[in-house]
Amino acid sequence: MGLGYDVAALSELINQFERMPGIGKKSAQRMAFYVLGMDPADAEKFASAILGAHEKIKRCKICCNLTEDETCSICRNEARDKKIVCVVEDPRDVIAIERTHEFDGTYHVLHGSISPMDGIGPDQLTIKELLARLDGVEEVIMATNPTVSGEATAMYVSRLLKPLGVKVTRLAYGVPVGADLEYADEVTLTRAMEGRREI
């Protein structure tokens, strides 16, 4: 072709970037050409960072959040209130709630929500791990996203927890319906946390 690069390799790079959530064809192309323009040493660092993250990052054995250790820093923190567990869909939701500096309990990350249309049932989530860690827990806050699948997940989990004598609350609807927690601002999340209700 006379362009100075392997077209098949470039197409594969674009395809890999395009597989990322929220990345369209044009963004994938921009990212691929950016990577191609990198100094070889920087490209190697970039690739090494991806491989290193895959090798080192794992799920916390208590809350299933991402960590490089057996347990995450929140679960290890003795100052956190272990009697309250905030259940979220995604590790990014933990970061969003932590930004408010209003919650001092612990978390449980489900790594998704129940969505039969997408082939995701309760067994694909970390619900069993949540049920296994309820000793001493007095309240579980369902902070799943205010979407159809988030609501279905909150209802499913609450039905499992109620017979166990655990108080189950839901974030108040200060978070816009249809939005993801990671995009909500701190004030909205604070109000939602303060206005949670029992379900």
Side-chain angles (χ1 to χ4, degrees):
M1 291 225 154
L3 296 177
Y5 57 78
D6 187 327
V7 176
L10 178 59
S11 292
E12 178 59 21
L13 185 58
I14 291 169
N15 288 339
Q16 291 303 317
F17 279 124
E18 202 173 352
R19 289 177 60 193
M20 295 179 179
I23 303 295
K25 188 84 170 165
K26 289 194 183 227
S27 293
Q29 287 174 347
R30 270 195 305 276
M31 293 166 76
F33 279 105
Y34 175 79
V35 168
L36 282 178
M38 284 177 152
D39 176 88
D42 288 336
E44 198 169 308
K45 283 182 195 170
F46 184 68
S48 178
I50 293 171
L51 293 172
H54 263 277
E55 290 169 11
K56 295 175 187 170
I57 297 174
K58 54 190 167 223
R59 291 183 181 180
C60 171
K61 68 178 185 179
I62 298 171
C63 73
C64 300
N65 196 6
L66 300 179
T67 182
E68 289 188 26
D69 301 311
E70 286 296 308
T71 56
C72 71
S73 59
I74 293 172
C75 288
R76 288 193 310 266
N77 186 342
E78 292 300 320
R80 302 298 289 233
D81 187 350
K82 306 287 195 286
K83 297 190 295 292
I84 302 175
V85 176
C86 182
V87 177
V88 296
E89 292 179 25
D90 191 270
R92 291 171 294 189
D93 300 333
V94 173
I95 295 167
I97 294 172
E98 283 296 289
R99 279 197 318 255
T100 69
H101 304 290
E102 294 293 323
F103 181 66
D104 66 349
T106 60
Y107 295 91
H108 189 83
V109 182
L110 295 173
H111 291 278
S113 58
I114 297 170
S115 179
M117 296 288 286
D118 297 318
I120 301 171
D123 291 340
Q124 279 82 44
L125 307 179
T126 62
I127 295 172
K128 287 179 188 154
E129 290 85 346
L130 173 63
L131 296 175
R133 61 176 287 212
L134 293 177
D135 189 32
V137 172
E138 295 175 3
E139 180 183 3
V140 171
I141 303 166
M142 292 306 304
T144 52
N145 291 319
T147 59
V148 173
S149 61
E151 289 296 324
T153 305
M155 292 309 296
Y156 180 85
V157 173
S158 70
R159 281 198 294 268
L160 293 176
L161 297 179
K162 284 272 185 158
L164 303 176
V166 178
K167 179 181 178 182
V168 183
T169 58
R170 181 84 170 110
L171 283 188
Y173 287 97
V175 179
V177 174
D180 289 337
L181 287 178
E182 66 177 299
Y183 300 116
D185 61 83
E186 288 87 349
V187 174
T188 300
L189 277 172
T190 299
R191 287 181 182 156
M193 187 64 77
E194 289 171 349
R196 66 185 186 270
R197 58 184 170 76
E198 188 164 359
I199 54 174

